[in-house]
Amino acid sequence: MPERRPSRYGRYHGGPDPLAPPVDLAEALDAIAEDVMAGYSPENALREFLRRGGRGREGLDDLARRVQQRRRDLLRRHNLGGTLDEVRKLLDAAVLDERKQLARDAAMDDDDRAFREMRLQNLPTSTAAAVNELASYDWQSREAAASFDRIKDLLGRELLDQRFAGMKRALESADDADREAVNQMLSDLNGLLDKHRRGEDTDVDFDDFMAKHGHHFPENPRNVEELIDALAQRSAAAQRLLNSMTAEQRRELMDLSAQAFGSPGLMAQLGQLDANLQALRPGLDWGGAESFRGSEGLGLGDGTGVVQDLAELDALGQQIGQDYGGARMDDLDLEALARQLGPEAAVSARTLAELERAMRDSGYLRRGTDGSLRLSPRAMRRLGKTLLADAASRLSGRQGQRDTRQAGAAGEQTGATRPWRFGDTEPWDTTRTLTNAIHRTVGEGLDPGTLRIDVADIEVAETETRTQSAVALLVDVSFSMAAEGRWVPMKRTALALHHLVSTRFRGDQLQLITFGRHAGVMDVEELTALGPWREQGTNLHHGLLLAGQFFRKHPTMQPVLLVVTDGEPTAHLLPDGYAWFSYPPDPETISATVVELDKLGRRGAQATFVRLGDDPGLQRFIEQMARRVGGRAVAPDLDDLGGTVVDEYLRARSRGRDDDLLW
């Protein structure tokens, strides 16, 4: 029997977590719709949601802050004197060991000892000059000679590590044969790049090069272009590292470079490599610089890696910012994000990308004829349902108010069902009733072969009253509505009422009429996307004219007029179609508005005026208008605006009926 191996569990690394919960489109849609109603385009609203993130989820702004914080940390932690500091330590150790050896060597000629001690005593203060001064020195101490050789070896490895990541460690115990192999690799590489610049290279040239030297390139490039990309990015970072040093540091390193591996040939090869790469990739940043100000010294290789990290962080910042044309969340380099900020950041970014993709693919957003994103009818239905539920919850919280879910006691079926109540005369919904009985029987552990229907199982077909209404909702879109924070509540109200009429009272007709300097008819999608207007004027006269036209189109329906406004009329329509504006309100404007209201009153319109704000003049005007046509004047809080308008609509429908709506 094979031995059972213990199971081990850990983080899933095979791509998106298959057990991760799905993205919450409902939360995203609510947030996007709220911003759209505030005046954002759906495209910008989606961007804003991605920036903010959702409940318990990082957004793009959070990731951007982390990117900038890591960038600041790298600059504050490091300085670029690491290689020079290490060379200085090795030089000091070599000089100290040599002085000790000179003091111990009794057989040495006194003049020779004095000359050597004087030479060591008078070394230049510059590290590079001191190293070059001792390049031809005949070391008496084996330890000192070894330390000085390590300087040459360190410089060679650091210079190579600048261009080839990991080379410093790979050549840590290198011998002359290894160094010669590196020189040969550089020679072959420059030959390949020279041929590529002239357009004379072939795939065979690249394959031969990789077969011979591929172990030096962990990136495993598949062609010469990928090889150049990897090398050029590193080389450009090395140049930016040098640009970031002080003039003294650069001069010291240039002077020291001649001692790399004890031969100036390495610098010649690297100089040719840099020239080839800059010619092949001139668009990279070869002239930038960073401001390092920390205490932790960096060597040339590690410093180049940090400069590459800074460049990668800058690229991530641009991707996260999404401020360029055609930006998409799929542009984010998740691997780079994981390298710089950890796997959790990559998971957050992947979730945001999936949410963006799901919002675009779910049908909640659609492209208009002009190419811009818009809320789809499906999104509008869902949004209206949410807003109506909010309005209904406020209604049900009032003492003695109706439940908006209830339909009329007699009339046409709505397609919905509800539990039977004592006194109901609606027909049973047989399918729902039997289904409820089966579920209850099984749930109670009874014999499913014997089905008994309980009163609690019965559902009846919901109906709506046969009395139909033509509803004109007039909403003020003057500048004061936006300035006083009433713009979004007004839109939420319109959407809630639209959803109620279109789903519960399908026989009714609803028209949304906006009035500012002029009035106009809008569908609910247009009103939702309508941005705040800065045009002054409250032309209720024009709005009432359009309401009258709407009522005349539906002569057999009960006319219901709902007006939401925060100001007295300050404009009216002249016969030539021009809107006359005057503030304070002109008596002619008031007179024209009253004339149109009287016409609607004679038509039998059930009118409700919803006043927003505490202006005494508006209060007097609204109350007088309501009394004139036997209507109602209400002044709800903004939070209760939707519930108030829905309630007034239901109240207006119920007037004149013998069987009132269920309470």
Side-chain angles (χ1 to χ4, degrees):
M1 184 175 180
E3 180 182 355
R4 297 185 61 185
R5 300 179 63 184
S7 299
R8 299 183 64 183
Y9 299 91
R11 184 183 296 275
Y12 181 73
H13 294 291
D17 187 351
L19 300 181
V23 293
D24 187 358
L25 291 184
E27 178 193 4
L29 180 60
D30 290 344
I32 291 170
E34 194 75 11
D35 283 343
V36 168
M37 288 190 288
Y40 287 81
S41 70
E43 186 86 46
N44 289 336
L46 175 58
R47 292 283 169 225
E48 284 301 311
F49 178 77
L50 295 175
R51 289 183 185 282
R52 293 192 300 263
R55 290 186 293 267
R57 181 190 306 115
E58 285 184 306
L60 291 176
D61 285 347
D62 299 310
L63 294 176
R65 280 192 292 270
R66 292 180 60 188
V67 164
Q68 291 304 314
Q69 184 60 50
R70 172 156 171 75
R71 197 183 198 287
R72 287 193 295 268
D73 290 345
L74 288 175
L75 293 174
R76 290 172 179 171
R77 186 190 316 155
H78 299 296
N79 66 66
L80 302 181
T83 297
L84 292 174
D85 291 343
E86 196 169 351
V87 169
R88 188 78 225 184
K89 290 177 183 177
L90 290 171
L91 177 63
D92 290 344
V95 171
L96 180 60
D97 287 337
E98 181 68 6
R99 284 174 172 168
K100 290 178 180 178
Q101 179 62 32
L102 294 176
R104 290 194 302 265
D105 193 349
M108 180 177 291
D109 180 75
D110 289 343
D111 291 339
D112 186 27
R113 179 186 295 110
F115 177 75
R116 290 175 180 274
E117 288 177 346
M118 181 181 66
R119 190 173 178 184
L120 295 176
Q121 182 67 32
N122 295 321
L123 286 174
T125 56
S126 164
T127 301
V131 170
N132 288 328
E133 173 72 22
L134 294 173
S136 60
Y137 182 81
D138 180 19
W139 298 93
Q140 300 300 300
S141 166
R142 288 194 299 272
E143 292 81 3
S147 293
F148 195 79
D149 286 341
R150 283 199 293 275
I151 291 176
K152 299 177 182 179
D153 185 67
L154 170 67
L155 290 170
R157 290 187 292 118
E158 286 280 18
L159 289 170
L160 286 170
D161 204 38
Q162 273 194 294
R163 280 78 173 180
F164 308 93
M167 191 71 82
K168 180 180 178 180
R169 284 178 290 275
L171 294 177
E172 194 165 9
S173 302
D175 54 21
D176 290 340
D178 295 326
R179 298 188 189 99
E180 180 56 34
V182 170
N183 280 325
Q184 186 60 53
M185 181 271 291
L186 289 172
S187 177
D188 292 345
L189 177 58
N190 279 319
L192 175 64
L193 297 182
D194 281 336
K195 290 184 69 174
H196 188 72
R197 287 177 63 181
R198 297 191 303 270
E200 299 173 358
D201 63 315
T202 65
D203 291 342
V204 174
D205 293 327
F206 173 77
D207 294 339
D208 289 344
F209 175 82
M210 291 301 295
K212 188 176 180 181
H213 305 295
H215 58 284
H216 290 302
F217 303 93
E219 303 91 351
N220 194 27
R222 294 170 296 180
N223 52 56
V224 69
E225 295 294 342
E226 290 188 4
L227 174 65
I228 293 170
D229 284 339
L231 291 173
Q233 290 171 7
R234 183 83 177 177
S235 180
Q239 183 59 53
R240 294 196 301 276
L241 177 72
L242 291 176
N243 299 341
S244 304
M245 293 179 176
T246 64
E248 182 181 356
Q249 287 175 325
R250 284 196 298 272
R251 184 170 56 253
E252 290 274 283
L253 284 172
M254 290 301 100
D255 291 344
L256 281 171
S257 62
Q259 300 299 326
F261 289 157
S263 168
L266 176 64
M267 279 306 297
Q269 293 277 19
L270 292 177
Q272 184 181 355
L273 175 63
D274 290 340
N276 280 326
L277 292 172
Q278 189 164 358
L280 289 166
R281 293 293 185 270
L284 293 179
D285 181 8
W286 297 87
E290 301 290 350
S291 178
F292 289 90
R293 50 192 181 275
S295 58
E296 184 179 324
L298 287 172
L300 295 180
D302 291 339
T304 300
V306 170
V307 172
Q308 278 192 295
D309 284 342
L310 293 172
E312 191 167 69
L313 288 167
D314 289 340
L316 285 171
Q318 291 181 349
Q319 295 165 14
I320 291 171
Q322 299 276 288
D323 293 329
Y324 48 92
R328 297 287 292 267
M329 286 298 301
D330 290 337
D331 297 342
L332 263 67
D333 187 339
L334 298 182
E335 293 183 1
L337 199 62
R339 279 195 301 271
Q340 298 299 335
L341 302 184
E344 294 80 7
V347 170
S348 296
R350 183 185 293 113
T351 302
L352 291 174
E354 290 173 356
L355 192 148
E356 180 194 45
R357 195 179 306 113
M359 283 298 298
R360 294 179 185 275
D361 297 343
S362 65
Y364 285 140
L365 298 176
R366 66 175 181 178
R367 289 284 174 188
T369 55
D370 58 354
S372 62
L373 277 183
R374 296 182 180 179
L375 293 177
S376 69
R378 179 185 178 191
M380 297 300 299
R381 287 193 298 272
R382 194 202 174 285
L383 178 60
K385 180 179 179 182
T386 301
L387 296 177
L388 179 59
D390 179 66
S393 68
R394 297 180 184 278
L395 268 179
S396 61
R398 301 178 187 172
Q399 184 69 26
Q401 293 294 345
R402 300 174 180 81
D403 182 348
T404 62
R405 295 173 298 171
Q406 302 304 322
E412 298 179 358
Q413 295 187 11
T414 66
T417 64
R418 59 176 174 78
W420 175 87
R421 292 190 181 95
F422 179 77
D424 283 340
T425 60
E426 290 83 0
W428 287 16
D429 186 295
T430 307
T431 302
R432 292 291 302 168
T433 299
L434 291 176
T435 300
N436 293 339
I438 293 171
H439 286 170
R440 179 183 52 77
T441 300
V442 174
E444 294 176 356
L446 302 176
D447 181 8
T450 304
L451 185 64
R452 295 183 180 274
I453 297 177
D454 188 86
V455 172
D457 301 327
I458 302 173
E459 292 199 25
V460 296
E462 195 175 69
T463 63
E464 64 182 13
T465 176
R466 295 183 187 278
T467 301
Q468 296 177 326
S469 299
V471 186
L473 174 61
L474 278 63
V475 290
D476 189 343
V477 293
S478 61
F479 176 64
S480 60
M481 289 287 286
E484 298 296 330
R486 297 159 184 157
W487 194 259
V488 173
M490 173 269 291
K491 290 185 177 183
R492 293 170 65 92
T493 298
L495 264 68
L497 183 61
H498 176 272
H499 187 75
L500 175 62
V501 172
S502 62
T503 59
R504 293 286 175 177
F505 300 99
R506 296 185 181 92
D508 287 1
Q509 295 293 322
L510 172 66
Q511 186 166 86
L512 302 178
I513 299 173
T514 60
F515 60 97
R517 180 70 67 92
H518 289 83
V521 176
M522 284 192 180
D523 60 33
V524 69
E525 289 85 359
E526 288 179 295
L527 181 62
T528 302
L530 182 66
W533 292 350
R534 294 190 175 273
E535 185 180 50
Q536 292 181 320
T538 305
N539 197 339
L540 179 58
H541 168 249
H542 192 186
L544 294 174
L545 274 171
L546 296 179
Q549 294 174 7
F550 172 64
F551 292 149
R552 286 194 293 274
K553 291 180 182 178
H554 305 283
T556 63
M557 294 185 175
Q558 169 65 45
V560 176
L561 176 68
L562 302 171
V563 179
V564 180
T565 185
D566 70 345
E568 297 177 74
T570 57
H572 69 280
L573 203 63
L574 299 178
D576 60 2
Y578 177 76
W580 171 265
F581 170 75
S582 174
Y583 184 84
D586 190 286
E588 186 177 345
T589 297
I590 299 297
S591 175
T593 303
V594 170
V595 168
E596 284 305 316
L597 179 65
D598 287 344
K599 292 178 182 179
L600 300 183
R602 289 193 294 271
R603 183 173 285 276
Q606 303 288 340
T608 299
F609 294 86
V610 181
R611 172 174 58 85
L612 301 179
D614 300 322
D615 179 65
L618 174 63
Q619 180 179 355
R620 288 192 298 271
F621 172 77
I622 290 295
E623 290 175 351
Q624 290 170 3
M625 294 281 278
R627 284 196 299 269
R628 191 175 186 90
V629 292
R632 289 168 50 82
V634 293
D637 295 331
L638 275 181
D639 290 341
D640 198 28
L641 178 59
T644 297
V645 171
V646 167
D647 185 38
E648 291 301 320
Y649 162 66
L650 295 174
R651 187 188 300 272
R653 292 188 89 257
S654 69
R655 292 174 192 168
R657 287 171 44 197
D658 293 332
D659 51 339
D660 200 358
L661 294 173
L662 295 178
W663 291 73

